[in-house]
């Protein structure tokens, strides 16, 4: 029987993959930053109440609070804002996933330079294979898409999640998940509110589909997946954690096939196998 902790990475991949599905459900009824602001405010309300009710400890060091807040701006505001804006602007979810799927390669380079982690040749091989697998999964979704303006938010998202993972691993890997989430989402909500006020109408069509998408992203993604991500960053190397993101596009493709009846080509299935093999190699512990 596998240990429960060994199943956490796979649970994280599944939950994280549903974020694209939630975005597809909710974005027709709200602009991207307004959608995210509603999500952040609901998360803040629920998590603050939970932290106070359970008497969760707050960081005593002011610098630690600042580091946690900065990591939230990178992992939440920058990454999610970029992904949602890219999809809303017309960039296919598969292309967005491919761009963000470059994160493990960037993280591997940064881990050696900033964190002193040794990336073995086997891990580099796994990272390259994983990226190739992701490319195969989304190859049939590229088409003739004008990528100029639509690609920029996805690149910003890639930079945010890469720097955010390295920053949190370097400066604040250990914090209480209840109070830490409040500290992360507070500046995230503030920055997102200012950006939404300046660039959007901030109108929401409160349909059942939007309500479902919002609750799913709050309860499953912001509570479940983000908490798991913090646990994985705390307990594993930056390269090992980043390699999990290679499984997101294949996992999203399977969920989209089940929910929206989106078909998978033979090329995509081959890419999924290649991505899984790449993650297995990349997650091998370096000496």
């Amino acid at each position: 029987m596998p240990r429960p902790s060994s199943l956490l990475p796979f649970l994280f991949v599944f939950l994280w993959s549903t974020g694209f599905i939630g975005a597809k459900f909710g974005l027709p009824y709200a602009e991207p930053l307004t959608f995210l602001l509603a999500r952040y405010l609901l998360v803040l309300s629920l998590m603050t109440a939970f932290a106070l009710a359970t008497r969760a400890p707050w960081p005593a060091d002011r610098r630690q609070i600042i580091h946690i807040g900065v990591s939230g701006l990178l992992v939440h505001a920058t990454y999610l804002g970029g992904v949602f804006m890219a999809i809303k602007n017309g960039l296919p979810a598969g292309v967005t996933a491919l761009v963000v799927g470059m994160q493990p390669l960037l993280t591997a380079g940064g881990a050696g330079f900033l964190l002193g982690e040794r990336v073995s040749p086997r891990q580099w091989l796994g990272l390259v294979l994983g990226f190739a697998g992701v490319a195969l999964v989304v190859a049939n979704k590229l088409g003739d898409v004008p990528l100029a303006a639509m690609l920029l938010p996805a690149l910003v998202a890639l930079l945010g999640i890469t720097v955010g993972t390295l920053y949190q691993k370097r400066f604040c890997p250990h914090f209480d998940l209840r109070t830490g989430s409040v500290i992360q989402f507070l500046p995230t909500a503030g920055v997102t509110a200012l950006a939404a006020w300046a660039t959007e109408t901030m109108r929401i069509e409160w349909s059942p589909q939007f309500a479902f998408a919002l609750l799913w992203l709050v309860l499953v993604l912001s509570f479940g997946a983000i908490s798991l991500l913090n646990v994985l960053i705390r307990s594993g190397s930056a390269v090992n954690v980043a390699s999990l993101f290679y499984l997101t596009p294949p996992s999203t493709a399977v969920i989209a096939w089940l929910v929206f009846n989106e078909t998978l080509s033979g090329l995509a299935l081959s890419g999924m196998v290649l991505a899984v093999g790449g993650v297995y190699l990349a997650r091998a512990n370096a000496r």
Side-chain angles (χ1 to χ4, degrees), residues 20 83 86-99 138 140-147 150-151 154:
F20 287 100
V83 167
I87 295 175
K88 183 68 174 181
N89 290 345
L91 192 67
V95 180
T96 306
L98 174 61
V99 174
V138 301
N140 62 329
K141 298 183 180 181
L142 288 173
D144 298 322
V145 180
L147 298 178
M150 294 185 294
L151 188 59

Side-chain angles (χ1 to χ4, degrees), residues 130-197:
F131 180 74
V134 170
L136 290 177
V137 169
V138 301
N140 62 329
K141 298 183 180 181
L142 288 173
D144 298 322
V145 180
L147 298 178
M150 294 185 294
L151 188 59
L152 181 59
L155 292 174
V156 172
L158 168 64
L159 181 63
I161 193 66
T162 302
V163 177
T165 300
L166 293 171
Y167 187 94
Q168 184 168 327
K169 184 66 179 179
R170 173 65 176 85
F171 294 104
C172 52
H174 302 287
F175 56 84
D176 187 273
L177 297 179
R178 296 159 294 181
T179 55
S181 295
V182 175
I183 297 171
Q184 283 188 325
F185 278 107
L186 191 59
T188 296
V191 170
T192 304
L194 290 175
W197 176 78

Side-chain angles (χ1 to χ4, degrees), residues 59-124:
D61 188 355
R62 181 178 301 178
R63 289 178 299 179
Q64 183 76 350
I65 295 176
I66 294 175
H67 285 317
I68 296 173
V70 171
S71 69
L73 287 173
L74 292 169
V75 174
H76 302 309
T78 307
Y79 170 72
L80 292 176
V83 167
F84 273 55
M85 290 185 68
I87 295 175
K88 183 68 174 181
N89 290 345
L91 192 67
V95 180
T96 306
L98 174 61
V99 174
V100 180
M102 295 171 59
Q103 185 224 351
L105 290 175
L106 299 182
T107 302
F113 179 72
L114 297 175
L115 304 180
E117 294 182 4
R118 178 179 178 271
V119 184
S120 68
R122 178 178 178 178
Q123 287 179 301
W124 277 114

